[in-house]
Amino acid sequence: MVVPLRRWGLAGLTAALGALLLVGGLAVAVGDALLRSDAATAAVTLSAEERRQLDEAGMSDSIEVDAGFFRRMMIVQNLSSGGPMPESAYEIYEDEDGVVSMSWGWFQEGISPGSWGGWQLKPVGILSFAGLALILASVFVAAARWESRHPLS
Amino acid sequence: MDRAGFDPRYSPEFQRGFDPASQDPAADADSRVRPVPEPITPVPQPIVRRVPPVEGRAAAEPSPTAWADDMFGPVDATAGEHPSEESEHPAAPASPWRNPYLIALTIVGVALVAGGIGAFRWSVRQVFGGAAYGSGATQAEMEENILAAQLAWGLSPLLAMAGLLTLLGVFFFAAWRWRPQRRPLGDGADLAPSVNQAD
């Protein structure tokens, strides 16, 4: 292991490893975002039984409009809370005058989120951050070596 | 070799093929007056890197592949490369801001901070403001927008943090390499004793 280190240089190896980590971390982050989108889609997708109940209540048209908005809110909630993907639940009720209404919302662990939280550090972000840090560190090593090559500058 | 085939560094009379009769008498007499001829100084002058202006010019005009040597060269290539030169010019005032890597790191650090903040603001506008679901966008475009917004949300604060750490590193590097400017002899150092003597 000593020979390759001396041949290629520690800075070069660090930069190569950093580039690998950065590309791999970006790929993992893209995969995580796709999984989050799929989970949000699954959370707002109605089952056949639920869709039948909404059809009977005459609310299947309005539910399609709301589903897109709910999906976006679930993604935002999952991004900002750092917790699991919220679940959606609806309730159809009929008042004393015979008017059918529906309540649909998203809930996280049984509680309706009241605040959006903030930015959360996700493990998938650490990989790309480490890769970028390694690349920058290799440039620092090159800067130090440049100083020793050009002592009068 | 000169025209007669002699090595110019040494006197011809001590070399093979020298004919005293073929030489100029005056020169021959001169050679007799001076029995031990001074050896001619070798023509090539190989030590040019010891002169400071030449070294400075080399630093100002690096070769096109110098960055590859710095990045991928052997680890200990510079450890003992010019020890004599450094010892001959030990206290040359150096400006770390002539280091191209340091300049590049500074630019990258500022770009990372600005880009990270800008990307996070963009992602907030996308997900909270609903810009990702703008009117006229197709389903595929909306999916791409929300995907990019997620990436920007998760990674842009880390980009800004990497930029801040880079700028901090540049600051520490510059502080490490900073040397005080050497004062010329005879300014304050000469003034202080004279003041003491006047007292």
Side-chain angles (χ1 to χ4, degrees), chain B residues 92-174:
Chain B
S95 170
W97 298 111
R98 296 184 64 182
N99 188 331
Y101 295 99
L102 206 63
I103 296 171
L105 281 169
T106 306
I107 295 171
V108 168
V110 172
L112 282 174
V113 171
I117 293 174
F120 192 69
R121 287 172 57 89
W122 176 82
S123 68
V124 169
R125 200 164 53 245
Q126 289 285 312
V127 296
F128 284 114
Y133 297 88
S135 60
T138 63
Q139 184 67 26
E141 288 172 347
M142 285 193 297
E143 285 301 316
E144 288 179 6
N145 286 342
I146 199 65
L147 186 66
Q150 289 185 63
L151 286 177
W153 178 286
L155 299 180
S156 54
L158 294 175
L159 286 184
M161 195 181 303
L164 276 178
L165 292 176
T166 302
L167 292 179
L168 275 177
V170 166
F171 177 77
F172 279 112
F173 189 93

Side-chain angles (χ1 to χ4, degrees), chain A residues 69-70 73-74 77 86-88 104-108 112-113 116:
Chain A
F69 173 75
F70 277 15
M73 287 299 107
M74 286 180 175
Q77 178 67 29
E87 299 172 353
S88 67
W104 193 13
W106 62 92
F107 304 92
Q108 190 163 17
S112 179
W116 291 112

Side-chain angles (χ1 to χ4, degrees), chain A residues 8 36 72 119 143 145 149, chain B residues 70 72 74 99 133 150 153:
Chain A
W8 295 104
R36 185 180 297 109
R72 174 163 61 102
W119 178 80
R145 298 183 67 197
R149 283 177 187 270
Chain B
D70 290 332
F72 300 105
N99 188 331
Y133 297 88
Q150 289 185 63
W153 178 286

Side-chain angles (χ1 to χ4, degrees), chain A residues 38-131:
Chain A
D38 292 344
T41 302
V44 298
T45 300
L46 300 172
S47 65
E49 174 64 20
E50 291 170 335
R51 188 165 292 280
R52 187 187 60 78
Q53 292 178 0
L54 289 172
D55 283 340
E56 289 177 355
M59 295 179 174
S60 57
D61 293 336
S62 61
I63 207 74
E64 297 297 335
V65 178
D66 293 338
F69 173 75
F70 277 15
R71 178 174 179 271
R72 174 163 61 102
M73 287 299 107
M74 286 180 175
I75 290 174
V76 173
Q77 178 67 29
N78 183 254
L79 280 173
S80 58
S81 71
M85 180 62 69
E87 299 172 353
S88 67
Y90 70 92
E91 182 183 3
I92 298 175
Y93 53 93
E94 182 177 355
D95 62 8
E96 53 195 17
D97 297 331
V99 178
V100 179
S101 303
M102 182 187 65
S103 172
W104 193 13
W106 62 92
F107 304 92
Q108 190 163 17
E109 297 170 351
I111 302 173
S112 179
S115 64
W116 291 112
W119 178 80
Q120 305 286 330
L121 175 62
K122 299 293 178 66
V124 293
I126 295 176
L127 273 181
S128 52
F129 178 75

Side-chain angles (χ1 to χ4, degrees), chain B residues 15-36:
Chain B
Q15 299 187 43
R16 188 188 302 274
F18 174 72
D19 185 8
S22 64
Q23 297 298 308
D24 182 17
D28 193 37
D30 189 24
S31 67
R32 281 195 293 272
V33 171
R34 184 162 47 99
V36 181

